[in-house]
Amino acid sequence: MFPELKFSEAEIRRLLNSATPEAIQNSLAKAKCNYFDLLNLISPAAMEFLPQMREKAQACRRRYYGKTVTIYAPLYISNSCVNACKYCDFSIRHKYERKILTLDEIRQEADAVRAMNIDSLLIVAGEDPIRMSVDFLCEVGSMLKEKFSYLSLEIAPQEEDNYRKLFEAGFEGLTLFQETYNQELYKELHPVGPKRVYDFRVWSQLRAGKAGMRNLGMAFLLGLDEWRLEAASLGAHAIYLQKHCYESKVQFAFPRITATDGGFQPAHPVGDDELELMMLAFRIAFPECGMTISTRECPEFRDRMVQLCADNMSAASRVTPGGYALLADEDVGQFTLNDSRSVEEVENAIRRNGQEVIRKYWDRAL
Ligand code: SF4
């Protein structure tokens, strides 16, 4: 469980299992939810309230985000990694040739993304401290900040000073998945490499927030452990960050992990209804926070959730280094994509649903 959570796993289970229909109705009627309301809304009993939760979540979404949907794309610059996460095909234990893009290759990839009219870019790299140094990432930021109005990072956890350097180089957001908040399971799934250290990972957003990052993205991997316990930790982690990094915005993602080519099978698969319930609950409990729906989900589900609760979605994503311009079809992607629509198709779907696409929502010049 999240280390600062004041309740044991057994107490969280008891709170989840004892939520009554009356308690859930009370939580839904509140103007501002607290942590116990979040537990009520993700409880097994809340499944009966999906229609009411859809209505409430949509109202919260509209209040804070109107009809806007922001669009971004991930740019994988390396699949080299010194860790051996059991659920990831980038693991060091999988033997295939790794690719680290040069600055020139990154520029070509970024130009291809920009040509699709994407103005918000997430730079993604595996964990390889020697070959993917902070200095190199700073060069990437300096090169790309003139091309994109918003740059964010999904990289190995860093010390606060390094986050500060990256922020100064042009990166304004950090996305970092805790994978699982279950300390024992975390050890088992991360047998070697720097990622073994749970504590260094779990306090990454705190360090990034102190270093000035404006967006703090957080998630666990859905499928590794019981999702309700993980969601209880995610909620507690978000409240902690809101308190200690009040100048930054918390952004949730709900990535479902799938079987990998390396043979990994999720032990606790999460169904569509359960994922929907969790996303609605987080929108209701954290109405001001960002929420991303990734290309791991199919188009129908994404289009529905972006109307009900999510406000940010990726489009035309490629999850291989070189996937946009350098043609690397034979490379190994980090996970399976389930929405292969172009940016135009995604944007048309958003407009058909009466929503508005926002490409640029931040301007450094102002
Ligand atoms: S999940 Fe991240 S750290 Fe783990 S093997 Fe994959 S790329 Fe490396």
Side-chain angles (χ1 to χ4, degrees), residues 30-31 56-67 287:
K30 283 188 177 177
K56 173 93 182 187
Q58 192 166 42
C60 293
R61 192 215 180 284
R62 286 200 180 138
R63 190 170 314 129
Y64 281 85
Y65 292 92
K67 292 182 172 181

Side-chain angles (χ1 to χ4, degrees), residues 3 8 15 20 29 38 62 93 165 190 206-207 215 244 272 277 286 318 321 338 346 364:
S8 67
L15 287 165
T20 60
L38 174 70
R62 286 200 180 138
R93 296 210 167 133
K165 283 186 199 164
H190 307 103
L206 179 65
R207 294 191 299 274
N215 266 305
H244 290 85
D272 284 358
L277 181 85
F286 297 94
R318 301 304 306 263
N338 286 315
V346 169
R364 253 179 229 103

Side-chain angles (χ1 to χ4, degrees), residues 270-318:
V270 177
D272 284 358
D273 278 0
E274 294 171 313
L275 174 56
E276 179 174 355
L277 181 85
M278 180 165 26
M279 292 180 71
L280 298 174
F282 273 79
R283 171 53 69 216
I284 295 167
F286 297 94
E288 68 285 11
C289 291
M291 187 180 287
T292 298
I293 177 99
S294 96
T295 355
R296 291 172 192 249
E297 301 302 331
C298 69
E300 299 71 30
F301 188 78
R302 298 181 83 214
D303 290 350
R304 207 159 62 74
M305 296 317 283
V306 88
Q307 291 170 70
L308 293 174
C309 50
D311 58 278
N312 182 39
M313 68 196 295
S314 49
S317 299
R318 301 304 306 263

Side-chain angles (χ1 to χ4, degrees), residues 78-92 98 125-127 179 190 195 201 221 334:
S78 163
N79 56 10
S80 175
C81 190
V82 297
N83 290 310
C85 309
K86 291 189 178 171
Y87 46 81
C88 177
D89 281 339
F90 286 0
S91 158
I92 196 170
R98 305 304 171 117
E127 184 159 354
E179 325 296 21
H190 307 103
K195 194 166 174 178
R201 192 169 188 87
L221 282 178
Q334 195 185 22

